[in-house]
């Protein structure tokens, strides 16, 4: 039987509608407008499109959003000065520096300069540590989005064996930290696999839930998963497709057609995890405004 499709577009729309109400309430009852400052250095087309998407989502929800676009040759010192200014500006509850930064700028130095209470990407070491001990200000957007997709599609990870393929600092590791907490919507048994595994199928076959976050197209095939598995595909890969005007199409890390014949539920690419990432940034911005106005 074909799997249920877990629609990220649908879950994201649901969360955005809830946030819009919350923001209306914050404004009406407490005079608070959540604010998000976005910094874009350079004109990398993918980054420009991400930043535009974030600004649009913020505006739709009623969040005050301001993007500062800086030239590619901006110095590290000038960028740090801008962050120091935004750290002190009460108008902005969240600060997001769009990555990647140009090579002459030390990315870690910049991310570590953001006040952890305004770090809505959740990448500051204070937030990484707080997440691990189960007391987060903010959860990083993509793994938080994965958790919401599971919970809101009726696939609560509690007590389930979740196998996460990939251990990056922005997806695999924080997702493991989120799902292993003894909390509602988590409490899973978590295995993380990576390139040192001789055969990742040994692990994925034992999973109730597989999360693929490797950045390798069609790596999870039908023979690698058990019947009834739930599959979340974080991967976004460009593969050549001469039938498309652009010359390429986007695919995930999972062989969607074959795996969806075996899985009980699966996310598509695009339209799965993608729409959740920006949505969870909005969740974090509203949370930041609440924390800062306690
Ligand atoms: P990354 O930093 O390149 O990390 C990839 C991870 O996968 C590494 O831990 C790597 O292992 C592991 N890996 C790679 N090939 C593998 C294989 N054949 N078998 C087992 N493990 C393997 O990537 P990332 O930033 O986490 O992103 C992963 C994917 O998610 C990318 O396609 C990215 O575009 C996508 N993504 C999507 C969103 C979204 O909003 N939808 C957000 C973020 C990322 P090692 O550590 O051993 O090298």
């Amino acid at each position: 039987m074909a799997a249920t499709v877990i629609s990220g577009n649908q879950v994201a729309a649901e969360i955005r509608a809830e946030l819009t109400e919350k923001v209306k309430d914050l404004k009406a009852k407490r005079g608070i407008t959540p604010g998000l400052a976005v910094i874009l250095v350079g004109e990398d087309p993918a980054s420009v499109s991400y930043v535009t998407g974030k600004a649009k989502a913020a505006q739709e929800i009623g969040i005050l959003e301001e993007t500062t676009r800086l030239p590619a040759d901006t110095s590290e010192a000038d960028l740090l000065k801008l962050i120091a200014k935004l750290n002190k500006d009460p108008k902005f509850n969240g600060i997001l520096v769009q990555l990647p930064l140009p090579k002459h700028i030390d990315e870690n130095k910049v991310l570590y300069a953001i006040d952890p209470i305004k770090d809505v990407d959740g990448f500051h070491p204070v937030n990484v540590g707080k997440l691990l001990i189960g007391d987060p200000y903010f959860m990083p957007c993509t793994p938080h989005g994965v958790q919401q997709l599971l919970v809101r599609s009726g696939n609560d990870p509690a007590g389930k064996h979740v196998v996460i393929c990939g251990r990056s600092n922005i997806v695999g590791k924080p997702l493991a930290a989120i799902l292993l907490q003894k909390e509602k919507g988590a409490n899973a048994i978590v295995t993380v696999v990576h390139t040192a595994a001789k055969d990742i199928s040994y692990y994925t076959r034992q999973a109730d839930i597989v999360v693929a976050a490797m950045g390798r197209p069609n790596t999870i095939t039908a023979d690698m998963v058990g019947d009834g598995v739930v599959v979340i595909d974080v991967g976004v890969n460009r593969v050549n497709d001469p039938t498309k005007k652009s010359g390429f199409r986007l695919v995930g890390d999972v062989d969607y057609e074959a795996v969806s014949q075996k899985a009980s539920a699966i996310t598509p690419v695009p339209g799965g995890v993608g729409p959740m990432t920006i949505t969870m940034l909005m969740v974090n911005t509203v949370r930041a405004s609440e924390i800062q106005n306690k």
Side-chain angles (χ1 to χ4, degrees):
M1 208 173 83
T4 303
V5 179
I6 303 174
S7 165
N9 288 326
Q10 203 178 311
V11 177
E14 196 179 297
I15 297 174
R16 288 183 195 201
E18 291 166 13
L19 273 182
T20 307
E21 285 311 304
K22 197 168 192 178
V23 170
K24 262 193 210 146
D25 234 44
L26 278 171
K27 280 183 194 168
K29 298 196 178 132
R30 299 180 58 198
I32 295 168
T33 301
L36 173 67
V38 177
I39 303 173
L40 172 66
V41 186
E43 281 161 16
D44 170 63
S47 294
V48 171
S49 124
Y50 288 139
V51 162
T52 309
K54 287 166 187 175
K56 190 165 166 269
Q59 281 151 17
E60 281 168 8
I61 289 164
I63 292 171
L64 166 80
E65 192 275 346
E66 214 172 276
T67 301
T68 306
R69 290 172 182 245
L70 300 171
D73 62 356
T74 300
S75 71
E76 186 180 283
D78 281 349
L79 182 54
L80 291 172
K81 250 187 246 162
L82 174 61
I83 291 171
K85 194 177 122 214
L86 292 168
N87 278 340
K88 289 202 199 100
D89 189 339
K91 237 183 17 248
F92 298 111
N93 308 105
I95 302 171
L96 179 132
V97 179
Q98 183 63 47
L99 301 178
L101 288 168
K103 294 247 176 322
H104 66 279
I105 298 177
D106 180 343
E107 229 163 65
N108 280 348
K109 210 165 161 185
V110 169
L111 294 180
Y112 297 2
I114 298 172
D115 185 337
I117 214 159
K118 294 193 173 187
D119 166 41
V120 282
D121 250 343
F123 293 157
H124 191 286
V126 166
N127 282 321
V128 176
K130 282 176 74 64
L131 176 64
L132 200 60
I133 61 173
D135 178 31
Y137 287 138
F138 312 109
M139 296 197 241
C141 302
T142 302
H144 192 187
V146 170
Q147 182 202 30
Q148 286 300 307
L149 279 176
L150 287 170
V151 171
R152 289 178 182 248
S153 64
N155 294 292
D156 192 322
K160 300 282 163 54
H161 182 200
V162 182
V163 174
I164 301 169
C165 306
R167 59 173 160 189
S168 74
N169 288 335
I170 61 165
V171 188
K173 282 185 204 164
L175 181 61
I178 291 170
L179 294 183
L180 65 76
Q181 301 299 328
K182 200 168 179 177
E183 295 284 349
K184 219 167 152 238
N187 215 13
I189 293 86
V190 180
T191 299
V192 182
V193 298
H194 41 75
T195 56
K198 280 202 186 78
D199 174 12
I200 64 167
S201 73
Y202 171 79
Y203 304 94
T204 53
R205 267 197 286 266
Q206 298 176 46
D208 300 306
I209 298 171
V210 170
V211 181
M214 297 172 285
R216 301 280 182 277
N218 297 320
T219 304
I220 304 293
T221 50
D223 58 314
M224 293 170 71
V225 296
D227 284 322
V229 69
V230 173
V231 179
I232 306 289
D233 192 352
V234 184
V236 180
N237 308 289
R238 276 184 180 195
V239 295
N240 291 336
D241 186 345
T243 68
K244 301 274 175 203
K245 216 167 118 194
S246 59
F248 68 86
R249 71 195 149 88
L250 295 181
V251 299
D253 289 353
V254 176
D255 177 357
Y256 182 87
E257 293 307 325
V259 171
S260 59
Q261 295 305 311
K262 235 174 150 179
S264 61
I266 190 166
T267 58
V269 177
V273 176
M276 295 299 291
T277 299
I278 292 185
T279 302
M280 301 324 285
L281 174 69
M282 302 302 132
V283 168
N284 282 351
T285 303
V286 174
R287 179 168 160 76
S289 77
E290 288 175 310
I291 296 173
Q292 289 158 39
N293 287 288
K294 245 188 190 155

